Amino acid sequence: MDTKTTTEKTGESADAAGTAEATAPAEEKAATALDKQATEPATAPTDADEHADANADGNQAENEAEDGDEDDELFAEAAAPSSAGIGGAAAAVVSAALGAVALTGTWTGKVVSERETLLGQIKTSGSGTPAQQISEIYGDAWHSTALVNGVFALIALLVAVLVLVLPGRPAWVRSVAVAGAVLGGLGLLLSVGTYFDLFLSLPTAGS
């Protein structure tokens, strides 16, 4: 009985020793593998990483292009109102100047008036009656001056109305345009009344 027991214990001891020997190389291999992973350099980027980098570069380029387009649009929008504001201001000043000229008279109107006076003197020289002389010399010159002034007044009124109709004008530009419209309207009214003898009629020969 003692011999059998001793034999069984010896076998168990041998099995335990074999198991320990078999386990030791496995643990050593695992430790070696961990050390190798720790000491090896980082692996090269994969195709997926390269594709991701390419997409990132492409997105950055697109964003930069979009930013450039937005800057161009903002610059164009900033430049457009500036040029439009200069044109509107100039038109308003021109309308006011034309309106004032229509009220005070122009060099063109004076020239036309003198021409009509000369033509009337030629037509009525030696044979014209007093009524004809008044009409040809004085009346035609008067009406010609009113016609020229009325044209200037009409242009002033149209330009002023155009400036007032267009949106986005500064307050001072609109004020000047209103002044031009008022002067043009008054000049047009006086010109029409003078041309059709509404304010003053031509003198007669008897007077």
Side-chain angles (χ1 to χ4, degrees), residues 2-206:
D2 294 336
T3 304
K4 183 178 181 180
T5 302
T6 303
T7 303
E8 291 177 356
K9 290 181 179 181
T10 302
E12 291 177 357
S13 299
D15 293 338
T19 303
E21 292 177 357
T23 305
E27 293 177 353
E28 292 177 359
K29 291 180 180 180
T32 303
L34 292 175
D35 294 337
K36 185 177 181 181
Q37 290 180 358
T39 56
E40 285 182 352
T43 57
T46 61
D47 293 339
D49 295 334
E50 294 178 354
H51 185 68
D53 294 338
N55 289 335
D57 294 338
N59 292 333
Q60 183 178 2
E62 291 178 357
N63 293 332
E64 292 177 354
E66 291 177 357
D67 293 339
D69 295 338
E70 291 178 357
D71 293 339
D72 294 338
E73 291 177 358
L74 292 175
F75 179 77
E77 290 177 358
S82 177
S83 60
I86 293 175
V93 174
V94 168
S95 66
L98 290 176
V101 166
L103 289 175
T104 59
T106 63
W107 175 82
T108 305
K110 184 179 180 180
V111 171
V112 173
S113 176
E114 292 176 351
R115 181 178 182 276
E116 290 296 330
T117 299
L118 180 59
L119 290 176
Q121 291 175 352
I122 294 173
K123 291 179 181 179
T124 60
S125 61
S127 61
T129 63
Q132 289 177 341
Q133 291 178 357
I134 293 173
S135 177
E136 295 291 337
I137 297 174
Y138 181 71
D140 289 350
W142 187 358
H143 294 161
S144 299
T145 302
L147 180 62
V148 173
N149 292 340
V151 171
F152 278 90
L154 180 61
I155 294 174
L157 183 60
L158 292 177
V159 173
V161 170
L162 179 62
V163 174
L164 292 174
V165 168
L166 294 177
R169 304 299 177 188
W172 72 269
V173 172
R174 298 180 68 85
S175 299
V176 176
V178 169
V182 172
L183 293 175
L186 290 175
L188 185 61
L189 179 62
L190 293 175
S191 298
V192 171
T194 302
Y195 187 84
F196 291 103
D197 300 329
L198 298 179
F199 303 124
L200 292 173
S201 61
L202 290 173
T204 60

